[in-house]
């Protein structure tokens, strides 16, 4: 049977890292910082979680270290985009490239292996009711983020900073402080996403093991318009695509085709969303408030400066 409880479990496992990272991206988006460095932040979290868990024997220390390391790594974006007023997109791309090279280098330096580190003594996260505690935390994070952004004073100020930082500053709000907080929180959430991916979904570290999930999280933020519930639904769509891809691979489909499933869904969702937004945007010629276009009446009469028609 194709649709069964195992498929639902797979969907929720695939959803967790994307959802955590996307919530971090949504906070940044609400603060006015476009964070496309989610991929690199997740990758740093993956490596830190695995290395700390292996050296200490405690997966929870690995989770804590992953959150702290990704938060520290997110300071590159915070300092560059907020303090130095650099281009957040360029900084995000640079962070992704740096994380890929840095983790590959550390894999060879720390563990002396290339490609994948997999050790039987590596402690993974415990499973409760079929899921790790980070999975339940991701669901709770959606509720907390929704309440924070719609009800809490700090969340309302964060939205104000993202929409109009100058107006927020005139009311005594420090835009830079709120933007720093949003970027650091995104780092923490991406670190948790990396820990879930490396110690929850699997128990190993592989070069570039995020495999584009950070980019998918960025798309989830765009599709969900940085609203926690919308981000959840968008991330769920990609989680379904990934889980169904794995199921189809088990039924004999080529791995290349099943691996591409989440990205095909991503492109399709972006296309549909963009088309719907354009369809809802009225054209200038359809706007009843637009001034009438002058029409030629064919008259050859003219008026001199004195107002007498000739």
């Amino acid at each position: 049977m194709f649709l069964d409880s195992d498929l639902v479990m797979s969907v929720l496992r695939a959803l967790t890292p994307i959802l955590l990272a996307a919530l971090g991206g949504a906070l940044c988006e609400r603060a006015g910082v476009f964070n496309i460095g989610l991929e690199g932040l997740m990758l740093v979290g993956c490596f830190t979680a695995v290395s700390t868990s292996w050296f200490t024997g405690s997966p929870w220390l690995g989770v804590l270290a992953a959150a702290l390391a990704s938060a520290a790594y997110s300071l590159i974006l915070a300092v560059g985009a907020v303090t130095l007023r650099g281009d957040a997109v360029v900084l995000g791309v640079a962070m992704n490239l740096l994380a890929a090279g840095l983790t590959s280098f550390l894999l060879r330096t720390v563990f002396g292996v290339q490609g994948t580190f997999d050790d039987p003594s590596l402690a993974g996260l415990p499973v409760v009711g079929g899921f790790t505690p980070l999975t339940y935390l991701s669901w709770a994070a959606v509720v907390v983020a929704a309440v924070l952004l719609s009800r809490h004073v700090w969340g309302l100020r964060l939205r104000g900073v993202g929409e109009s930082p100058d107006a927020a500053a005139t009311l005594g709000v420090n835009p830079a402080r709120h933007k720093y907080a949003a970027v650091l929180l995104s780092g923490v959430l991406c670190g948790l996403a990396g820990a879930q991916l490396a110690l929850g979904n699997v128990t190993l570290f592989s070069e570039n093991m995020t495999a584009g999930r950070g980019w998918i999280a960025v798309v989830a933020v765009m599709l969900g318009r940085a609203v926690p519930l919308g981000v959840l639904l968008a991330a769920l769509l990609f989680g379904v695509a990934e889980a169904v891809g794995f199921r189809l691979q088990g039924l004999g489909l080529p791995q290349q085709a099943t691996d591409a499933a989440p990205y095909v869904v991503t492109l399709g969702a972006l296309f549909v969303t963009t088309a719907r937004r354009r369809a809802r945007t009225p054209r200038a010629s359809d706007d009843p408030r637009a001034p009438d276009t002058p029409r030629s009446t064919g008259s050859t009469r003219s008026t001199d400066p004195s107002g007498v028609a000739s």
Side-chain angles (χ1 to χ4, degrees), residues 118-293:
D118 184 9
D119 193 285
S121 61
L122 180 61
L125 289 171
V127 176
V128 180
F131 305 105
T132 68
L134 290 183
T135 299
Y136 301 109
L137 178 63
S138 68
W139 302 341
V142 175
V143 179
V144 172
V147 174
L148 184 68
L149 292 173
S150 62
R151 301 290 183 180
H152 197 272
V153 174
W154 185 87
L156 295 175
R157 290 177 177 175
L158 184 73
R159 293 170 56 185
V161 166
E163 294 172 3
S164 180
D166 293 334
T170 60
L171 297 176
V173 179
N174 189 328
R177 183 181 302 171
H178 282 74
K179 289 184 178 183
Y180 262 80
V183 174
L184 288 174
L185 282 174
S186 74
V188 171
L189 289 170
C190 287
L192 296 178
Q196 168 64 26
L197 184 60
L199 296 179
N201 290 10
V202 294
T203 311
L204 54 85
F205 178 81
S206 179
E207 294 183 17
N208 297 318
M209 68 179 299
T210 48
R213 289 178 176 85
W215 292 105
I216 292 177
V218 173
V219 175
V221 174
M222 297 169 63
L223 293 180
R225 298 194 176 187
V227 177
L229 180 58
V231 169
L232 170 62
L233 295 177
L236 181 62
L237 173 65
F238 302 129
V240 170
E242 183 175 338
V244 170
F246 284 129
R247 177 62 62 90
L248 293 176
Q249 183 177 338
L251 295 178
L253 261 68
Q255 179 182 355
Q256 293 79 1
T258 57
D259 288 346
Y263 311 106
V264 173
V265 171
T266 300
L267 292 175
L270 280 175
F271 176 80
V272 172
T273 303
T274 303
R276 291 183 62 184
R277 289 178 182 175
R278 288 182 177 179
R280 291 175 181 175
T281 303
R283 295 177 299 177
S285 59
D286 297 334
D287 191 349
R289 295 172 299 177
D292 294 335
T293 304

Side-chain angles (χ1 to χ4, degrees), residues 57-140:
S58 171
W60 293 115
L61 287 178
V63 171
L64 177 62
L68 294 176
S70 294
Y73 192 66
S74 69
L75 284 173
I76 297 176
L77 177 63
V79 174
V82 179
T83 302
L84 301 180
R85 298 184 182 277
D87 192 318
V89 174
V90 175
L91 287 168
V93 172
M95 289 172 62
N96 292 335
L97 296 175
L98 176 61
L102 182 61
T103 52
S104 297
F105 171 76
L106 291 176
L107 181 63
R108 295 169 175 79
T109 305
V110 176
F111 298 110
V113 297
Q114 183 175 353
T116 302
F117 172 74
D118 184 9
D119 193 285
S121 61
L122 180 61
L125 289 171
V127 176
V128 180
F131 305 105
T132 68
L134 290 183
T135 299
Y136 301 109
L137 178 63
S138 68
W139 302 341

